[in-house]
């Protein structure tokens, strides 16, 4: 399994959730993420190995669709197995959600 990649988009998403930021020590840090760390003096916990508590699945999901709500409920019952990104209305919202999804790869 490869090393985690930490991007500025990922860090923005983590900061927005309000949860403590925990990242693996061996993660690859993008140049934009390095700049983000300089601009945001927030505490970061560096974990040994891959155990940073990240979801094993990330997906973009439209929450208004009945099928998607049922899938979201199932994923939530699995104990946070998935990191669900809900797009904002419109094409630009879908593009932004896709960029956030790519940042998690």
């Amino acid at each position: 399994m490869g090393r985690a990649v930490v991007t500025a988009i990922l860090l923005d998403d983590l900061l927005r959730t309000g949860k403590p930021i925990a990242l693996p020590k061996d993660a690859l840090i993008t140049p934009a993420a390095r700049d983000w760390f300089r601009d945001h003096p927030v505490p970061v916990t560096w974990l040994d190995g891959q155990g940073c508590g990240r979801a094993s699945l990330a997906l973009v999901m439209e929450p208004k669709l009945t099928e998607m709500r049922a899938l979201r409920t199932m994923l939530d019952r699995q104990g946070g197995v998935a990191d669900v990104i809900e797009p904002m209305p419109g094409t630009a919202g879908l593009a932004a959600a896709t960029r956030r999804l790519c940042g998690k790869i």
Side-chain angles (χ1 to χ4, degrees), residues 33-92:
R34 287 182 204 276
D35 294 340
W36 189 96
F37 283 122
R38 276 194 296 274
D39 296 340
H40 298 83
V42 296
V44 176
T45 303
W46 295 97
L47 305 171
D48 290 325
Q50 297 293 325
C52 65
R54 293 190 337 154
S56 61
L57 172 69
L59 60 131
V60 174
M61 180 182 295
E62 174 56 58
K64 294 178 184 174
L65 300 174
T66 304
E67 302 85 7
M68 295 296 111
R69 283 195 309 261
L71 179 61
R72 175 75 184 261
T73 300
M74 181 196 69
L75 292 171
D76 288 343
R77 286 184 185 153
Q78 296 295 318
V81 172
D83 185 1
V84 178
I85 301 168
E86 296 178 4
M88 300 299 288
T91 306

